[in-house]
Amino acid sequence: MRLLTHNMLASNIKGVTSGYPLRIEAHQSAAKEADFNADFLRNVFPKIDWPALVSAAKTLGYGDLPEEAEPSMLESDEFLRRFHHALLEVHVEEGALVCPETGRRFPVNKGIPNMLLHEDEV
Amino acid sequence: MGGATMDCTTIDVAAVERKGLSRPGSSKTLPRIAQIKLVSQHPEVYEPCDDSFALVDALLADRANLLLHQPTLCLEIGSGSGYVITSLAIMLGSETPTAHFFATDINPHAVETTRKTLEAHGVHAEIIVSDIASGLQKRLKGMMDVVVVNPPYVPTPEEEVGQEGITASWAGGENGRRVIDRILPIADELLSEKGWLYMVTLTENNPSEICQLMREKGYGSRIIVQRSTEEERLHVIKFWREKGDEGKEGSKFGGSGVGSWLSQLPLLSFLRNNGSSN
């Protein structure tokens, strides 16, 4: 699971108000090379919750993202490389995503997050 | 499912592609889709069948519009074997390099199968075990430029809906509408202003009523592919928000003409609404 996926996931348990961002419990993570595409990064930047990405990347041991980001930074190749690495190359393989409000753990197995709810959570 | 195909729009290209054959001298001009021999299988996962082929054929038929559409985020709800999302990623991939793909399925075996199929074709999608789009709905609200879905549309007893395993891929409850009617408002929530939805329906699902429901939410619709097999009559319907109206007219008005086109909208939507009330 890339951090792009993590950035788009929220806990939707009944009664939870924000449920975002999910805390990452990584038992196994990996770095996998992905094709660099500056245009994609520029397109997707406005859709990314930056603080959530920074904190997720830190959890997985990647601390090279600036705490704050603004569109003008997308001109910088160095910034794009770091953004690319955090968003698309850092993976959670095994572990869980934890709801910040309830502590409910959504498992991640073989890199796939499972967001299914139990009947009493819907 | 199965049976002879009698009424197809783009069967030649797609059938050739599915078998991984190439036509002499034309292979370079054919848009590529997933190859059946590379589609992963699992006993609890629905294999690509006439409905999957109809959906891919519809996407192929609309590919020129999709390329003009320049989607950033695309989602398949219920990706099953991964045949459709892989085909979409392949057919858009090289020419819309900024497109990115998501796929969900309620069946964990299906999500795993989707992953293998994507990998076998060298393409990528973010994959999530999810009930329709649970977990994604909040953050991706209004962000999806393309949503595709081949829903569980088969009319079944209500108690078969939402069961585990492969049953979830087809059991649709009364008129096959139980899951479809849950998907429609979620798709509406997920779609961006310019977003398009492609959905497979069966005649028994009452597609015209589905189009009417979507019209009430502000969507136009068009049948992209109709197909009859021995067992079922399928329609692949495309929906788009009338406000932007790039779906129906995208090929004509895409690109630089959009500005002047938008200025004519009030009149056109007035005419269209009048026309549709008959």
Side-chain angles (χ1 to χ4, degrees), chain B:
Chain B
M1 328 240 158
T5 308
M6 300 176 340
D7 177 15
C8 309
T9 317
T10 56
I11 188 67
D12 287 344
V13 171
V16 166
E17 282 297 303
R18 274 195 289 278
K19 287 171 186 151
L21 307 172
S22 59
R23 287 169 167 179
S26 64
S27 59
K28 277 186 184 164
T29 58
L30 289 175
R32 310 216 70 86
I33 57 171
Q35 290 183 41
I36 285 298
K37 64 184 177 192
L38 294 180
V39 173
S40 197
Q41 294 182 346
H42 186 284
E44 285 298 328
V45 178
Y46 187 73
E47 280 180 39
C49 208
D50 287 342
D51 45 348
S52 332
F53 300 149
L55 181 51
V56 169
D57 290 346
L59 296 170
L60 272 178
D62 214 36
R63 180 170 173 268
N65 288 324
L66 281 163
L67 294 179
L68 282 171
H69 192 56
Q70 288 288 314
T72 300
L73 299 185
C74 308
L75 167 71
E76 181 178 15
I77 295 169
S79 59
S81 67
Y83 174 73
V84 175
I85 191 68
T86 302
S87 294
L88 184 64
I90 294 171
M91 76 174 83
L92 295 186
S94 55
E95 287 175 72
T96 50
T98 59
H100 206 79
F101 304 89
F102 287 77
T104 68
D105 204 292
I106 196 169
N107 174 358
H109 298 302
V111 177
E112 178 68 24
T113 309
T114 293
R115 184 175 67 82
K116 290 179 184 162
T117 298
L118 286 160
E119 278 175 6
H121 290 84
V123 290
H124 185 88
E126 312 302 323
I127 49 175
I128 300 122
V129 181
S130 162
D131 180 11
I132 300 180
S134 62
L136 286 171
Q137 254 164 288
K138 280 190 201 170
R139 268 287 279 128
L140 289 178
K141 202 170 185 175
M143 287 195 196
M144 283 295 166
D145 296 327
V146 173
V147 174
V148 301
V149 53
N150 180 6
Y153 56 65
V154 179
T156 64
E158 288 295 308
E159 58 269 23
E160 288 185 18
V161 176
Q163 288 192 2
E164 287 193 356
I166 196 167
T167 312
S169 70
W170 48 265
E174 190 181 358
N175 301 323
R177 285 281 294 274
R178 262 289 285 284
V179 184
I180 289 174
D181 287 347
R182 284 183 58 217
I183 291 172
L184 296 176
I186 294 171
D188 175 38
E189 220 179 280
L190 288 168
L191 285 170
S192 67
E193 276 304 306
K194 68 168 193 177
W196 293 345
L197 166 68
Y198 297 84
M199 188 168 74
V200 181
T201 64
L202 195 63
T203 305
E204 287 83 339
N205 303 146
N206 196 349
S208 61
E209 190 190 82
I210 293 172
C211 293
Q212 185 56 38
L213 279 172
M214 289 300 276
R215 176 169 294 279
E216 286 162 16
K217 293 179 193 289
Y219 286 84
S221 58
R222 181 160 68 88
I223 294 171
I224 309 269
V225 164
Q226 288 189 60
R227 184 154 305 171
S228 298
T229 70
E230 285 167 0
E231 291 165 32
E232 51 192 20
R233 276 178 59 90
L234 299 165
H235 299 84
V236 181
I237 310 174
K238 173 180 179 178
F239 299 93
W240 64 92
R241 291 184 201 275
E242 287 283 19
K243 196 178 159 197
D245 207 34
E246 292 168 26
K248 195 172 183 179
E249 310 296 343
S251 54
K252 269 194 251 173
F253 294 93
S256 58
V258 169
S260 59
W261 163 238
L262 284 176
S263 65
Q264 300 170 32
L265 264 180
L267 175 63
L268 284 166
S269 52
F270 170 74
L271 291 172
R272 188 174 297 111
N273 290 340
N274 269 8
S276 67
S277 61
N278 295 326

